[in-house]
C-alpha cells in the first residue's frame, strides 16, 4: 500500500489520538495512521494536498482554507521535507523512525508546530 503524505502531516500522524475536523476526517486519519505503522506500506512525500487532506472539510479545490493559510501550510511541509529526500518512495516504518530522531525537541519543530491550534490534543508535541 502506498500513501501520499505532505511533509507536516508526518508530525501530525505522530501526535494523532483520535481528534479531527469531522467524523469523515477522523475515520480517514485513523485508517492512514494504522497503515503507516504497517509493514509493506510506502510513503511518497509532497507539499500539496495528500491522502489526509482529501477527507478534510477545509480543502477547497486544491487549497487549504484560503491562500494565506495554504502558503503557511506549504512552508510547514517544506520545513519538514528539508530533512528528508522527497524524491524517493520511503518505507513507512523507516521514515517514521527518521522523524523520531530528527524532530525530538520543541526547538526542532519550532518553525513547523508553533502556531498549530491542536497542541492540547497532540501527543507528539506534548511529549517533546
Ligand atoms: S486541507 Fe489543510 S487543514 Fe485539512 S488536512 Fe490538509 S493541510 Fe490540514
Amino acid at each position: 500500500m502506498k500513501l501520499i503524505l505532505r511533509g507536516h502531516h508526518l508530525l501530525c500522524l505522530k501526535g494523532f489520538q483520535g481528534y479531527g475536523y469531522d467524523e469523515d476526517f477522523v475515520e480517514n486519519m485513523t485508517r492512514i495512521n494504522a497503515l503507516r505503522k504497517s509493514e509493506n506500506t510506502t510513503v511518497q512525500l509532497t507539499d500539496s494536498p495528500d491522502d489526509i487532506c482529501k477527507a478534510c472539510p477545509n480543502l477547497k479545490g486544491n487549497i487549504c482554507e484560503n491562500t494565506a493559510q495554504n502558503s503557511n501550510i506549504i512552508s510547514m511541509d517544506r520545513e519538514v521535507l528539508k530533512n528528508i529526500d522527497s524524491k524517493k518512495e520511503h518505507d513507512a516504518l523507516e521514515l517514521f523512525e527518521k522523524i523520531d530522531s530528527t524532530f525530538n525537541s520543541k526547538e526542532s519543530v519550532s518553525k513547523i508546530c508553533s502556531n498549530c491550534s491542536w497542541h492540547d490534543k497532540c501527543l507528539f508535541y506534548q511529549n517533546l
Side-chain angles (χ1 to χ4, degrees):
M1 178 77 192
K2 175 175 163 179
L3 296 173
I4 298 174
L5 293 175
R6 59 191 314 160
H8 88 273
H9 278 161
L10 302 177
L11 307 190
C12 301
L13 283 164
K14 294 283 310 175
F16 180 67
Q17 50 174 344
Y19 297 96
Y21 300 107
D22 65 15
E23 205 175 309
D24 286 349
F25 180 91
V26 169
E27 190 180 309
N28 183 53
M29 184 93 166
T30 301
R31 185 182 65 83
I32 290 172
N33 201 31
L35 280 170
R36 66 100 178 165
K37 296 175 185 171
S38 306
E39 288 188 7
N40 302 321
T41 296
T42 60
V43 178
Q44 184 66 58
L45 295 162
T46 184
D47 61 1
S48 54
D50 67 356
D51 287 343
I52 292 176
C53 299
K54 71 186 182 191
C56 181
N58 298 322
L59 191 69
K60 315 278 185 236
N62 235 19
I63 300 287
C64 174
E65 289 190 42
N66 56 53
T67 41
Q69 173 65 358
N70 194 58
S71 69
N72 286 339
I73 293 283
I74 291 171
S75 303
M76 288 158 63
D77 292 330
R78 291 183 180 165
E79 201 57 43
V80 173
L81 297 178
K82 271 185 195 169
N83 298 279
I84 306 167
D85 180 0
S86 54
K87 292 195 181 73
K88 74 169 210 182
E89 201 168 308
H90 294 263
D91 172 79
L93 298 176
E94 288 172 13
L95 177 61
F96 280 88
E97 276 173 22
K98 179 160 173 64
I99 291 296
D100 281 339
S101 61
T102 306
F103 300 99
N104 53 15
S105 65
K106 288 239 173 20
E107 293 70 41
S108 67
V109 300
S110 63
K111 291 186 185 157
I112 306 156
C113 303
S114 55
N115 293 321
C116 179
S117 56
W118 291 95
H119 283 170
D120 62 331
K121 302 275 194 295
C122 180
L123 277 183
F124 171 70
Y125 190 79
Q126 286 168 18
N127 289 334
L128 289 174

